[in-house]
Amino acid sequence: MLYTKRNQTCAQIINSTAFGNLNVTKKTTFIIHGFRPTGSPPVWMEDLVEALLSAEHMNVVVVDWNRGATTVIYTHAASKTKQVAIILKEFIDQMLAEGASLDNIYMIGVSLGAHISGFVGEMYDGQLGRITGMKYFKCDHQRSVYLYLASLREDCEITAYPCDSYRDYRNGKCASCGTPQEQSCPVLGYYADNWKDYLRQKDPPMTKAFFDTDEKEPFCMYHYFVDIISWNKNIRRGSITIELRDRNGNTTESKIDHEPATFQKYHQVSLLARFNQDLDKVATISLVFSTGSVIGPKYKLRILRIRLRSLVHPERPQLCRYDLVLMENVQTVFQPILCPKLQM
């Protein structure tokens, strides 16, 4: 089924002998659904078609293999994927005969649709322009698709950070992306291929990247570094909860508690904070320090300087505050000031 700018809401039925409005000189994106035990169409399909056509002038082809995908037995549906791939190759071969380019072929496969996309890519020796495979999350079978949809929103960019491990990522060891300053970090979803040219310079041309998402739409998370220099005589270990509030009263909170941070006298600790809102002008900041201990003495964390800097918007002024004393499990609220410009 073909959708274009000329027919955004009413699909044309096409095949290898009848292309309809399909323009072979433009990019063609194939959307291939997966296992459909009830036979109902995917609830996200209409939104995805609309979002793709809004992002770029292209052909969007929805591959309807519902007859093969509809069964309560997953392996029965899986056994049909190779045949679907063969039919798709016949269609693409005809497109190529009419003047299309493999570079302009993009396949988005969900669940078993990702398998079909891979089979087609293999038939062309990996020369297709791009393949995006989306697997289902254990907790939410539709989450991967909705994350992809979020990447097509103008106000939502899910940044990923190349890193050896999730622990290193959470500890803020991979925020530079390992690239020159002019190369931004990779992003999730539709615009992920902006990193393609950089990856081609690597051997092998691949990377592993980590990211976090919010629990609800639009799923975006915004990363900051919280740099803390403490001046306690003794080492302190614990977690930090930081809340930002803007002038309109909007708040967003980050709990940095995946593992205890170690605060030593006159040593800087850089913590990666993740917020589900991007507050442009921060009016107040609140901090809570906790050792996680239920019984025993309450400790203080003496802060010589705290600095907040945005990773998503490094051009924004960095915010500082000096000489704070945090009582354990007690919220401390303060107004930040602009950091001196010479600080790095």
Side-chain angles (χ1 to χ4, degrees):
M1 296 185 292
L2 172 68
Y3 295 88
T4 68
K5 284 286 188 182
R6 292 171 58 185
N7 58 300
Q8 298 189 51
T9 58
C10 185
Q12 283 186 324
I13 305 299
I14 59 172
N15 55 47
S16 58
T17 60
F19 278 6
N21 291 337
L22 191 143
N23 184 341
V24 295
T25 66
K26 291 188 177 298
K27 180 177 180 178
T28 299
T29 299
F30 293 85
I31 305 175
I32 312 172
H33 65 76
F35 177 49
R36 308 303 304 167
T38 65
S40 59
V43 295
W44 42 261
M45 185 66 78
E46 188 175 313
D47 290 339
L48 182 54
V49 170
E50 180 183 348
L52 288 169
L53 290 175
S54 296
E56 193 173 340
H57 284 275
M58 66 171 83
N59 310 298
V60 176
V61 178
V62 175
V63 179
D64 182 5
W65 67 290
N66 222 12
R67 288 187 180 181
T70 303
T71 172
V72 294
I73 303 174
Y74 181 85
T75 53
H76 285 184
S79 68
K80 307 289 179 58
T81 54
K82 272 281 180 70
Q83 183 59 38
V84 177
I86 292 170
I87 294 171
L88 275 175
K89 184 180 185 300
E90 291 172 357
F91 183 85
I92 294 171
D93 282 345
Q94 192 58 41
M95 287 180 61
L96 298 175
E98 295 292 329
S101 165
L102 283 178
D103 286 340
N104 273 338
I105 303 295
Y106 177 26
M107 310 202 81
I108 301 174
V110 180
S111 181
L112 286 179
H115 296 213
I116 294 169
S117 300
F119 291 144
V120 176
E122 186 179 35
M123 292 171 184
Y124 287 105
D125 298 321
Q127 297 304 305
L128 290 184
R130 182 181 176 190
I131 294 175
T132 296
M134 290 184 261
K135 299 297 287 184
Y136 286 156
F137 285 60
K138 290 182 180 179
C139 58
D140 183 350
H141 283 186
Q142 309 294 333
R143 176 61 67 92
S144 61
V145 182
Y146 288 119
L147 290 177
Y148 187 91
L149 276 168
S151 75
L152 288 157
R153 292 168 53 107
E154 292 184 359
D155 61 343
C156 181
E157 187 175 273
I158 300 176
T159 303
Y161 296 89
C163 211
D164 289 334
S165 69
Y166 185 66
R167 182 184 182 188
D168 284 350
Y169 155 67
R170 288 296 306 272
N171 287 333
K173 295 181 179 180
C174 307
S176 68
C177 294
T179 63
Q181 290 296 318
E182 63 270 15
Q183 177 68 52
S184 60
C185 293
V187 294
L188 183 74
Y190 184 72
Y191 297 102
D193 64 341
N194 289 346
W195 238 54
K196 181 171 61 176
D197 291 339
Y198 173 74
L199 285 179
R200 282 175 173 167
Q201 301 170 25
K202 299 184 66 174
D203 185 20
M206 58 188 297
T207 192
K208 178 168 61 175
F210 296 89
F211 62 93
D212 288 289
T213 63
D214 194 19
E215 296 177 352
K216 56 185 183 299
E217 291 189 66
F219 305 114
C220 300
M221 298 292 278
Y222 303 91
H223 295 76
Y224 286 75
F225 263 131
V226 182
D227 302 321
I228 295 175
I229 300 176
S230 59
W231 56 283
N232 286 75
K233 182 179 179 181
N234 298 317
I235 291 176
R236 294 282 184 263
R237 291 185 176 87
S239 64
I240 294 288
T241 299
I242 178 170
E243 182 185 87
L244 310 181
R245 181 183 295 270
D246 67 11
R247 297 168 185 170
N248 297 321
N250 300 308
T251 62
T252 183
E253 181 184 273
S254 177
K255 291 185 178 182
I256 312 171
D257 59 358
H258 61 288
E259 63 180 52
T262 301
F263 301 95
Q264 302 180 57
K265 190 174 184 179
Y266 303 143
H267 283 228
Q268 176 173 295
V269 176
S270 294
L271 306 173
L272 185 66
R274 304 161 304 150
F275 299 96
N276 63 4
Q277 291 186 65
D278 184 26
L279 303 184
D280 185 10
K281 300 188 183 302
V282 176
T284 62
I285 298 175
S286 72
L287 297 173
V288 177
F289 169 69
S290 176
T291 64
S293 177
V294 178
I295 59 176
K298 299 298 181 184
Y299 293 96
K300 298 177 182 178
L301 181 63
R302 304 176 188 274
I303 295 178
L304 190 63
R305 188 207 68 197
I306 181 170
R307 178 174 59 191
L308 183 72
R309 48 194 174 100
S310 172
L311 291 181
V312 181
H313 300 286
E315 72 283 356
R316 287 182 184 170
Q318 298 178 5
L319 301 178
C320 284
R321 187 63 189 246
Y322 303 86
D323 296 326
L324 293 170
V325 178
L326 305 185
M327 303 292 296
E328 185 174 359
N329 299 326
V330 176
Q331 187 180 55
T332 300
V333 183
F334 58 90
Q335 292 182 335
I337 61 174
L338 297 181
C339 303
K341 290 186 177 180
L342 291 179
Q343 288 193 356
M344 300 298 291

